[in-house]
Structure formats: C-alpha cells, structure tokens
Amino acid sequence: MIVSLLYGAGLRLLECLEMRVKDVDFDGNQVIVRRGKGRKDRRTMLPGSIKEPLALHSADVRRQHERDLADGVGAVVLPYALERKYPNAATDWAWQFVFPAGRVCRDPRWGPPSRFHLHESVVQRALALATRQAGVSKRVGCHTFRHHADCRIMPMMRWPSLSFKVS
C-alpha cells in the first residue's frame, strides 16, 4: 500500500511515512504533504485505486490506537511546539500516523512511551525483496516510483499556458 501511494500520489518515502490521519482527505481525493522538500506544504491527489484499501487500513490503525490508549501508550510525537499549544493533541486520532510502527518506543529521550511512524528501512527492505523475487535486474528504490509518478501526474496538472503570441 505504501508503494502504491509513492507511485499514485507521487510522494517521497518519508512524506508517506510521516503522513497523519488528518492529512488524508477521502472526500476530496487529496493527500496533504506537510513539511515536504523545502519544508513546504503541498496537496497531491489520492489515487482512487488505493482509497478503499487505505480506508480499511485506517480502521485497523484506529483500533490499534484505541488499544494503545487503553494501555496508556496512545500518544504520538507532535511536530515543533504543538504539544504545548494543544496538550491533548498527542492522543487525538487525527494526529496519529497513517503508517505506525509495529512497536511502542519506550526510549526516555523521546518522552513518554509512544508509537512513531514505520521506519523507512522496513519499506526499503520489503521493496528490495519484492524486486529480487520479481527477477528485476535493474536497481529499484522507493524514489523510483516518485519519478515515474511525476511523468504520469505532471501532464494532468493545471499549468499556466505557455503559448506565445507571434506578431
């Protein structure tokens, strides 16, 4: 599902893994990328083919979050000073990662026990294994899908007209 988002929405790996529940707009078919390259926010399309599987995945993640809350570890790390500004946001469903890690981090350097996003090496290893199993001889990385998505998405976007008037 992550690779489908990399390709279908043209996301970078960390943009996908750091995505929060509130950043996915199922009704508007959009994904909001926060602090992307250049620390800028942007919107991109949510592919129709991934919409239903992502909704099912979100339901599973929500159940996991509710179990974490019951166990007292349902907080998530918030960006910048948002934890001070919104003290209850760390346990709010909207701020949870779409792709959470399988384990709760209990390192005191990061504060109370919380669940981070899935580590990028998990996706990279799974992609390398799938590439080998498929018999692909060329090098394939997560960023490969973004480049192929750019070739497909860019012509569909609204760009200013580049026509010139010749007199």
Side-chain angles (χ1 to χ4, degrees):
M1 183 176 334
I2 292 173
V3 174
S4 296
L5 271 170
L6 298 179
Y7 176 72
L11 300 176
R12 294 175 180 86
L13 179 57
L14 274 177
E15 290 173 346
C16 185
L17 296 179
E18 291 177 350
M19 192 168 41
R20 311 279 180 149
V21 171
K22 67 184 194 67
D23 296 333
V24 180
D25 179 6
F26 286 104
D27 296 330
N29 295 323
Q30 292 184 39
V31 174
I32 300 170
V33 178
R34 309 270 181 197
R35 295 179 302 135
K37 190 170 183 178
R39 295 289 179 209
K40 295 179 181 174
D41 293 355
R42 71 176 195 281
R43 294 178 186 269
T44 185
M45 64 183 201
L46 176 64
S49 61
I50 194 76
K51 202 171 172 179
E52 185 179 337
L54 188 59
L56 293 172
H57 171 76
S58 293
D60 290 340
V61 171
R62 185 171 200 141
R63 284 190 292 276
Q64 179 187 38
H65 173 60
E66 289 167 357
R67 284 191 306 270
D68 286 350
L69 283 174
D71 295 340
V73 293
V76 70
V77 175
L78 295 175
Y80 305 117
L82 285 175
E83 196 161 2
R84 283 192 310 269
K85 189 173 182 179
Y86 305 112
N88 296 324
T91 56
D92 187 25
W93 165 241
W95 282 98
Q96 302 303 307
F97 290 111
V98 174
F99 299 106
R103 294 187 309 239
V104 172
C105 176
R106 299 185 186 278
D107 190 339
R109 291 178 295 178
W110 296 103
S114 59
R115 196 177 292 272
F116 285 100
H117 59 77
L118 191 64
H119 196 271
E120 58 268 19
S121 64
V122 174
V123 179
Q124 291 164 339
R125 279 190 238 126
L127 181 61
L129 177 64
T131 303
R132 280 194 305 275
Q133 288 176 343
V136 176
S137 59
K138 291 190 175 193
R139 179 177 159 81
V140 176
C142 294
H143 209 71
T144 306
F145 295 98
R146 176 174 165 71
H147 286 294
H148 286 284
D150 280 347
C151 295
R152 187 177 49 77
I153 293 172
M154 294 307 252
M156 297 187 305
M157 295 179 73
R158 293 184 202 141
W159 291 96
S161 174
L162 298 178
S163 60
F164 297 96
K165 201 173 196 181
V166 179
S167 39

